[in-house]
Amino acid sequence: MMLPKSVRMVEVGPRDGLQNEAQPVPAAVKIALIDALADAGLAVVESGSFVSPKWVPQMADTAMVLAGIQRRPGVSYPVLVPNIKGLEEAFKSGVEEVAIFAAASESFAQRNTNCSIDESFARFAPVAERALAAGLRVRGYISCVVACPYEGPVAPADVAMVADRLAALGCYEVSLGDTIGVGTPAQVLAMLDAVAPLVPVDRLAVHFHDTYGQALANILASLERGVAVVDSSVAGLGGCPYAKGATGNVASEDVLYLLNGLGISTGVDIDRLAAAGDRISAHLGRPSGSRVARALASKRH
Ligand SMILES: CC(C)(COP(=O)([O-])OP(=O)([O-])OC[C@H]1O[C@@H](n2cnc3c(N)ncnc32)[C@H](O)[C@@H]1OP(=O)([O-])[O-])[C@@H](O)C(=O)NCCC(=O)NCCSC(=O)C[C@@](C)(O)CC(=O)[O-]
């Protein structure tokens, strides 16, 4: 089995994990979470989004959160921006990296961003251009890379086309999201095999939600195809506001346990990571969504 020697874990808990949380999460709690994740050794901690607060109220305090965190050297704190208004807010907050987010299905693009795929690219083009001109890094996301909650299965060729368009806008990396967590390894590999001829595998990340418990299997399959960047969410926080019933991202602790077991280096400390997950789970008043974190906690009691 050919596997990468090291993997960059992209922590999306403070953004993807919390954006759908019904109870308000104070900025101070988000700040403590982000700082704890960076302390655990994560080099990328997605810290919020500058989107319409009418659409995603939980992210309305992103500027306050970014003002409160202790930015560690070598750690990136990206935010999502859907349009120029969001980018301008990101500039004010001094971010070094933004992410634009597209979908491989028309219905999801409409529900998530109130426009078609083509219209979303018309919005992203000036965002990417201005961000790059200002020296920011731009990451691209694609939702619904296996299936769409409104349209069902999504053709790998559709994903490849959107990935190609994001790369053409200058995204240094394209994160492939199974938004509703339905994919299995054969589907994921078919999708990766369609995308990789257009956007090389060293510019791809995988982003699995764990609704059907397939995320770790999908990650292992992706690693075997050479993908070396994995998105995950501490304590398995999350769910997408525009994908009813979809659960959180794969838990970061579970991904790290898998990678440690495979001898793949990440620079992340599992105990510190699990402690950060336990603290946010306690704040939210529910058990961690990470099986690894629950197992580690049970050994301590
Ligand atoms: C794209 C829009 C703005 C279009 O929304 P719209 O309603 O068509 O936009 P609009 O331009 O007509 O503006 C409507 C109102 O929003 C305001 N507005 C407009 N833009 C902004 C902004 N940037 N920041 C703050 N406010 C903004 C704007 O000023 C106006 O305010 P009003 O005049 O009514 O008071 C909206 O649909 C939106 O914000 N969508 C974001 C949805 C979102 O954040 N989804 C979750 C992230 S994607 C995701 O989770 C998937 C991913 C990445 O994790 C991968 C995966 O798992 O699939």
Side-chain angles (χ1 to χ4, degrees), residues 17-18 21-26 29 58 235 237-238 277-287:
L18 292 180
E21 187 59 45
Q23 55 180 307
V25 180
V29 172
Q58 186 64 255
L237 296 173
D278 290 348
R279 276 199 297 280
I280 187 68
S281 301
H283 175 84
L284 297 172
R286 54 172 186 261

Side-chain angles (χ1 to χ4, degrees), residues 155-186:
D158 292 349
V159 183
M161 200 170 55
V162 174
D164 193 32
R165 292 175 83 171
L166 285 170
L169 290 185
C171 293
Y172 73 93
E173 185 169 284
V174 176
S175 171
L176 301 162
D178 180 8
T179 312
I180 53 174
V182 293
T184 56

Side-chain angles (χ1 to χ4, degrees), residues 36-41 234 253 268-279:
L37 292 165
D39 281 347
V234 70
E253 299 90 321
V268 184
D269 180 283
I270 197 150
D271 293 316
R272 286 176 162 215
L273 177 63
D278 290 348
R279 276 199 297 280

Side-chain angles (χ1 to χ4, degrees), residues 15-16 19 50-56 80 82-83 85-86 101 112-114 123 141 143 179 207 209 242:
R15 194 279 304 171
D16 205 356
Q19 69 185 6
F50 288 109
V51 299
S52 167
K54 290 184 189 141
W55 286 65
V56 186
L80 263 59
N83 52 20
K85 187 175 169 69
F101 47 103
N112 197 32
T113 48
N114 204 23
R123 276 184 201 161
Y141 275 106
S143 290
T179 312
H207 178 110
H209 289 254
Y242 303 104

